[in-house]
Amino acid sequence: MKIGIISGSHRNDSQSEKIARYALGKLEKHGLCYETYLFSLADNPLPFWDEGLWNGDPKWEEAIGELRDELNSCDGFIVVTPEWHGMVPSGLKNLFLLFPGSGELAHKPALIVAVSGGAGGGAYPVAELRMSSYKNSRICYLPEHLIVRNAGMVFNEDSAENDDKQHDYLDARLTYCLEMLGEYTKAFQQIRASGKTSLEEYTNGM
């Protein structure tokens, strides 16, 4: 079982990537999967979608071929997104545009982790991803998600930088979410193996 982690922030040294790496370490520490893959949009921008993707333009194979192979090999995902002005970053939305209806994400469970630097944010990206990123990609978001508020105060390597009460609560809640993701991932392997999830006839969702 391989879990892919997508860090959706374009920024260097972002809180999103910090939390993505923390989740990766937790997966490995607790033996919740046999392999992990981390893709960060920081310093790794993907070209914005254009119709060449549909028409076999070779630039697209060069740009996303390796990423496509990695996503194909994953059985489940963690999507870590910051909240920028109440929205999901454009680069993360673009990633979903690049893999619609082609199966890399299809019928694979995913945990949303939303990140906010303040005390009251984080809910909007969850709603946006649930509403608009699944239709053609067929990614299957868990009913559970995690919102990390005051992100600078938790999941830090130096424990002195953490608010102990908030960190301990979110650490336990993250473990709960990851264990759930593991069980969903096992179940969805059987669903995909059934042959009933073919995208050949209905490439696009309704």
Side-chain angles (χ1 to χ4, degrees):
M1 187 168 69
K2 180 177 179 179
I3 301 295
I5 305 172
I6 299 169
S7 176
S9 176
H10 314 178
R11 297 173 57 197
N12 293 314
D13 301 318
S14 69
Q15 294 295 324
S16 295
E17 186 166 340
K18 177 191 78 174
I19 292 166
R21 293 189 180 280
Y22 189 92
L24 182 150
K26 206 166 184 65
L27 284 170
E28 294 177 344
K29 178 181 178 181
H30 291 274
L32 296 173
C33 59
Y34 69 77
E35 190 176 355
T36 55
Y37 169 68
L38 174 64
F39 179 78
S40 174
L41 283 166
D43 275 340
N44 196 21
L46 296 170
F48 281 112
W49 180 94
D50 64 42
E51 290 182 346
L53 185 65
W54 290 346
N55 300 328
D57 188 328
K59 78 172 185 181
W60 282 107
E61 184 59 32
E62 181 178 350
I64 66 172
E66 183 177 342
L67 176 57
R68 179 191 295 119
D69 291 343
E70 288 285 357
L71 297 179
N72 264 324
S73 70
C74 291
D75 301 298
F77 297 98
I78 301 169
V79 180
V80 184
T81 177
E83 182 177 73
W84 288 0
H85 302 283
M87 296 180 288
V88 172
S90 58
L92 180 55
K93 294 286 283 189
N94 182 58
L95 183 146
F96 285 101
L97 290 175
L98 299 179
F99 299 102
S102 45
E104 294 85 358
L105 308 174
H107 303 290
K108 297 178 181 180
L111 169 69
I112 297 172
V113 178
V115 180
S116 173
Y124 286 110
V126 175
E128 186 176 356
L129 286 174
R130 289 191 183 281
M131 179 176 66
S132 65
S133 61
Y134 76 93
K135 175 183 172 287
N136 288 350
S137 73
R138 287 357 195 269
I139 196 168
C140 296
Y141 291 119
L142 270 62
E144 189 73 21
H145 57 256
L146 186 70
I147 299 177
V148 181
R149 300 186 170 105
N150 294 316
M153 302 169 62
V154 294
F155 300 137
N156 295 300
E157 290 186 15
D158 183 353
S159 60
E161 298 177 1
N162 293 328
D163 176 284
D164 289 341
K165 182 177 180 181
Q166 186 174 357
H167 174 83
D168 290 348
Y169 170 77
L170 287 172
D171 180 69
R173 189 77 184 240
L174 177 60
T175 300
Y176 169 73
C177 289
L178 294 180
E179 289 177 345
M180 184 184 298
L181 176 63
E183 295 305 313
Y184 270 77
T185 301
K186 294 174 189 175
F188 271 72
Q189 286 176 321
Q190 298 179 26
I191 293 172
R192 292 195 304 280
S194 72
K196 301 299 183 182
T197 60
S198 170
L199 302 175
E200 290 182 9
E201 186 169 2
Y202 303 111
T203 303
N204 297 326
M206 294 185 70

PDB file of all heavy atoms in Angstrom, residues 6 8 31 34 52 72-73 96 98 111 115 120-121 133 157 168 181 183 187 200:
ATOM      1  N   ILE A   6       0.388  15.174  -1.304  1.00  0.00           N
ATOM      2  CA  ILE A   6       0.499  16.338  -2.176  1.00  0.00           C
ATOM      3  C   ILE A   6       0.491  17.587  -1.306  1.00  0.00           C
ATOM      4  O   ILE A   6      -0.492  17.858  -0.611  1.00  0.00           O
ATOM      5  CB  ILE A   6      -0.655  16.382  -3.188  1.00  0.00           C
ATOM      6  CG1 ILE A   6      -0.625  15.137  -4.083  1.00  0.00           C
ATOM      7  CG2 ILE A   6      -0.583  17.655  -4.037  1.00  0.00           C
ATOM      8  CD1 ILE A   6      -1.874  14.965  -4.927  1.00  0.00           C
ATOM      9  N   GLY A   8       0.206  21.372  -1.370  1.00  0.00           N
ATOM     10  CA  GLY A   8      -0.346  22.259  -2.378  1.00  0.00           C
ATOM     11  C   GLY A   8       0.096  23.700  -2.314  1.00  0.00           C
ATOM     12  O   GLY A   8      -0.410  24.525  -3.071  1.00  0.00           O
ATOM     13  N   GLY A  31       3.908   2.484  10.628  1.00  0.00           N
ATOM     14  CA  GLY A  31       3.771   1.363   9.702  1.00  0.00           C
ATOM     15  C   GLY A  31       2.420   1.280   9.041  1.00  0.00           C
ATOM     16  O   GLY A  31       1.903   0.184   8.802  1.00  0.00           O
ATOM     17  N   TYR A  34       3.406   0.693   3.223  1.00  0.00           N
ATOM     18  CA  TYR A  34       4.747   0.189   2.966  1.00  0.00           C
ATOM     19  C   TYR A  34       5.589   1.176   2.178  1.00  0.00           C
ATOM     20  O   TYR A  34       6.815   1.039   2.108  1.00  0.00           O
ATOM     21  CB  TYR A  34       4.687  -1.154   2.220  1.00  0.00           C
ATOM     22  CG  TYR A  34       4.191  -1.091   0.789  1.00  0.00           C
ATOM     23  CD1 TYR A  34       5.016  -0.641  -0.249  1.00  0.00           C
ATOM     24  CD2 TYR A  34       2.893  -1.477   0.466  1.00  0.00           C
ATOM     25  CE1 TYR A  34       4.560  -0.573  -1.554  1.00  0.00           C
ATOM     26  CE2 TYR A  34       2.439  -1.414  -0.835  1.00  0.00           C
ATOM     27  CZ  TYR A  34       3.271  -0.962  -1.844  1.00  0.00           C
ATOM     28  OH  TYR A  34       2.812  -0.886  -3.133  1.00  0.00           O
ATOM     29  N   GLY A  52      -3.116  21.184 -25.427  1.00  0.00           N
ATOM     30  CA  GLY A  52      -2.082  20.254 -25.847  1.00  0.00           C
ATOM     31  C   GLY A  52      -2.078  18.979 -25.033  1.00  0.00           C
ATOM     32  O   GLY A  52      -1.645  17.924 -25.510  1.00  0.00           O
ATOM     33  N   ASN A  72      -0.158   7.136 -10.356  1.00  0.00           N
ATOM     34  CA  ASN A  72      -0.741   5.846 -10.725  1.00  0.00           C
ATOM     35  C   ASN A  72      -0.380   4.755  -9.729  1.00  0.00           C
ATOM     36  O   ASN A  72      -1.187   3.859  -9.450  1.00  0.00           O
ATOM     37  CB  ASN A  72      -0.262   5.437 -12.122  1.00  0.00           C
ATOM     38  CG  ASN A  72      -1.240   5.807 -13.217  1.00  0.00           C
ATOM     39  OD1 ASN A  72      -2.449   5.745 -13.025  1.00  0.00           O
ATOM     40  ND2 ASN A  72      -0.717   6.207 -14.366  1.00  0.00           N
ATOM     41  N   SER A  73       0.829   4.824  -9.210  1.00  0.00           N
ATOM     42  CA  SER A  73       1.307   3.767  -8.314  1.00  0.00           C
ATOM     43  C   SER A  73       0.795   3.920  -6.886  1.00  0.00           C
ATOM     44  O   SER A  73       0.967   3.011  -6.071  1.00  0.00           O
ATOM     45  CB  SER A  73       2.842   3.742  -8.310  1.00  0.00           C
ATOM     46  OG  SER A  73       3.377   4.885  -7.667  1.00  0.00           O
ATOM     47  N   PHE A  96      -5.269  19.193 -10.420  1.00  0.00           N
ATOM     48  CA  PHE A  96      -6.461  18.382 -10.682  1.00  0.00           C
ATOM     49  C   PHE A  96      -6.917  18.517 -12.130  1.00  0.00           C
ATOM     50  O   PHE A  96      -7.477  17.572 -12.694  1.00  0.00           O
ATOM     51  CB  PHE A  96      -7.583  18.767  -9.714  1.00  0.00           C
ATOM     52  CG  PHE A  96      -7.369  18.237  -8.320  1.00  0.00           C
ATOM     53  CD1 PHE A  96      -6.884  19.060  -7.316  1.00  0.00           C
ATOM     54  CD2 PHE A  96      -7.632  16.916  -8.013  1.00  0.00           C
ATOM     55  CE1 PHE A  96      -6.671  18.581  -6.039  1.00  0.00           C
ATOM     56  CE2 PHE A  96      -7.425  16.416  -6.742  1.00  0.00           C
ATOM     57  CZ  PHE A  96      -6.937  17.251  -5.748  1.00  0.00           C
ATOM     58  N   LEU A  98      -4.931  18.663 -14.604  1.00  0.00           N
ATOM     59  CA  LEU A  98      -3.995  17.885 -15.415  1.00  0.00           C
ATOM     60  C   LEU A  98      -4.242  16.384 -15.343  1.00  0.00           C
ATOM     61  O   LEU A  98      -3.711  15.627 -16.158  1.00  0.00           O
ATOM     62  CB  LEU A  98      -2.556  18.190 -14.984  1.00  0.00           C
ATOM     63  CG  LEU A  98      -2.104  19.645 -15.137  1.00  0.00           C
ATOM     64  CD1 LEU A  98      -0.677  19.805 -14.642  1.00  0.00           C
ATOM     65  CD2 LEU A  98      -2.233  20.116 -16.581  1.00  0.00           C
ATOM     66  N   LEU A 111      -7.378  11.976   2.063  1.00  0.00           N
ATOM     67  CA  LEU A 111      -7.618  12.769   3.255  1.00  0.00           C
ATOM     68  C   LEU A 111      -7.258  14.216   2.955  1.00  0.00           C
ATOM     69  O   LEU A 111      -6.149  14.494   2.487  1.00  0.00           O
ATOM     70  CB  LEU A 111      -6.760  12.254   4.415  1.00  0.00           C
ATOM     71  CG  LEU A 111      -6.695  13.131   5.671  1.00  0.00           C
ATOM     72  CD1 LEU A 111      -8.042  13.147   6.391  1.00  0.00           C
ATOM     73  CD2 LEU A 111      -5.582  12.648   6.601  1.00  0.00           C
ATOM     74  N   VAL A 115      -4.816  23.983   5.985  1.00  0.00           N
ATOM     75  CA  VAL A 115      -3.841  24.677   6.839  1.00  0.00           C
ATOM     76  C   VAL A 115      -4.153  26.166   6.866  1.00  0.00           C
ATOM     77  O   VAL A 115      -4.326  26.793   5.806  1.00  0.00           O
ATOM     78  CB  VAL A 115      -2.408  24.456   6.315  1.00  0.00           C
ATOM     79  CG1 VAL A 115      -1.398  25.179   7.189  1.00  0.00           C
ATOM     80  CG2 VAL A 115      -2.087  22.962   6.239  1.00  0.00           C
ATOM     81  N   GLY A 120      -9.154  31.055  12.853  1.00  0.00           N
ATOM     82  CA  GLY A 120     -10.506  30.762  12.398  1.00  0.00           C
ATOM     83  C   GLY A 120     -10.623  30.275  10.976  1.00  0.00           C
ATOM     84  O   GLY A 120     -11.736  30.086  10.475  1.00  0.00           O
ATOM     85  N   GLY A 121      -9.493  30.080  10.280  1.00  0.00           N
ATOM     86  CA  GLY A 121      -9.557  29.711   8.873  1.00  0.00           C
ATOM     87  C   GLY A 121      -9.519  28.213   8.654  1.00  0.00           C
ATOM     88  O   GLY A 121      -9.578  27.409   9.575  1.00  0.00           O
ATOM     89  N   SER A 133     -13.105  19.308  -7.109  1.00  0.00           N
ATOM     90  CA  SER A 133     -11.915  18.608  -7.609  1.00  0.00           C
ATOM     91  C   SER A 133     -12.138  17.122  -7.886  1.00  0.00           C
ATOM     92  O   SER A 133     -11.283  16.469  -8.469  1.00  0.00           O
ATOM     93  CB  SER A 133     -10.760  18.752  -6.608  1.00  0.00           C
ATOM     94  OG  SER A 133     -11.097  18.175  -5.363  1.00  0.00           O
ATOM     95  N   GLU A 157       9.454  20.667  14.570  1.00  0.00           N
ATOM     96  CA  GLU A 157      10.502  19.761  15.036  1.00  0.00           C
ATOM     97  C   GLU A 157      10.983  20.139  16.421  1.00  0.00           C
ATOM     98  O   GLU A 157      11.263  19.267  17.253  1.00  0.00           O
ATOM     99  CB  GLU A 157      11.675  19.781  14.050  1.00  0.00           C
ATOM    100  CG  GLU A 157      11.372  19.126  12.712  1.00  0.00           C
ATOM    101  CD  GLU A 157      12.602  19.056  11.835  1.00  0.00           C
ATOM    102  OE1 GLU A 157      13.727  19.241  12.365  1.00  0.00           O
ATOM    103  OE2 GLU A 157      12.451  18.812  10.625  1.00  0.00           O
ATOM    104  N   ASP A 168      -0.824  18.427  20.850  1.00  0.00           N
ATOM    105  CA  ASP A 168      -1.186  17.067  21.266  1.00  0.00           C
ATOM    106  C   ASP A 168      -2.546  16.660  20.705  1.00  0.00           C
ATOM    107  O   ASP A 168      -2.734  15.512  20.279  1.00  0.00           O
ATOM    108  CB  ASP A 168      -1.192  16.966  22.797  1.00  0.00           C
ATOM    109  CG  ASP A 168       0.209  17.059  23.390  1.00  0.00           C
ATOM    110  OD1 ASP A 168       1.189  16.973  22.626  1.00  0.00           O
ATOM    111  OD2 ASP A 168       0.315  17.241  24.620  1.00  0.00           O
ATOM    112  N   LEU A 181      -7.612   6.478   6.928  1.00  0.00           N
ATOM    113  CA  LEU A 181      -7.181   6.463   5.540  1.00  0.00           C
ATOM    114  C   LEU A 181      -6.615   5.096   5.165  1.00  0.00           C
ATOM    115  O   LEU A 181      -6.881   4.584   4.071  1.00  0.00           O
ATOM    116  CB  LEU A 181      -6.133   7.553   5.293  1.00  0.00           C
ATOM    117  CG  LEU A 181      -5.504   7.596   3.890  1.00  0.00           C
ATOM    118  CD1 LEU A 181      -6.553   7.902   2.832  1.00  0.00           C
ATOM    119  CD2 LEU A 181      -4.384   8.633   3.846  1.00  0.00           C
ATOM    120  N   GLU A 183      -7.429   2.175   6.360  1.00  0.00           N
ATOM    121  CA  GLU A 183      -8.509   1.196   6.195  1.00  0.00           C
ATOM    122  C   GLU A 183      -9.288   1.439   4.904  1.00  0.00           C
ATOM    123  O   GLU A 183      -9.650   0.495   4.191  1.00  0.00           O
ATOM    124  CB  GLU A 183      -9.448   1.239   7.410  1.00  0.00           C
ATOM    125  CG  GLU A 183      -8.792   0.796   8.718  1.00  0.00           C
ATOM    126  CD  GLU A 183      -8.170  -0.585   8.620  1.00  0.00           C
ATOM    127  OE1 GLU A 183      -8.838  -1.502   8.098  1.00  0.00           O
ATOM    128  OE2 GLU A 183      -7.011  -0.743   9.040  1.00  0.00           O
ATOM    129  N   ALA A 187      -9.704  -1.068   1.526  1.00  0.00           N
ATOM    130  CA  ALA A 187     -11.018  -1.403   0.973  1.00  0.00           C
ATOM    131  C   ALA A 187     -11.122  -0.995  -0.495  1.00  0.00           C
ATOM    132  O   ALA A 187     -11.700  -1.719  -1.315  1.00  0.00           O
ATOM    133  CB  ALA A 187     -12.117  -0.724   1.795  1.00  0.00           C
ATOM    134  N   GLU A 200     -13.490   3.802 -19.191  1.00  0.00           N
ATOM    135  CA  GLU A 200     -13.472   3.756 -20.654  1.00  0.00           C
ATOM    136  C   GLU A 200     -14.770   4.304 -21.259  1.00  0.00           C
ATOM    137  O   GLU A 200     -14.747   5.027 -22.257  1.00  0.00           O
ATOM    138  CB  GLU A 200     -13.232   2.327 -21.134  1.00  0.00           C
ATOM    139  CG  GLU A 200     -11.820   1.819 -20.851  1.00  0.00           C
ATOM    140  CD  GLU A 200     -11.606   0.429 -21.389  1.00  0.00           C
ATOM    141  OE1 GLU A 200     -12.484  -0.079 -22.118  1.00  0.00           O
ATOM    142  OE2 GLU A 200     -10.531  -0.157 -21.092  1.00  0.00           O
TER     143      GLU A 200
END
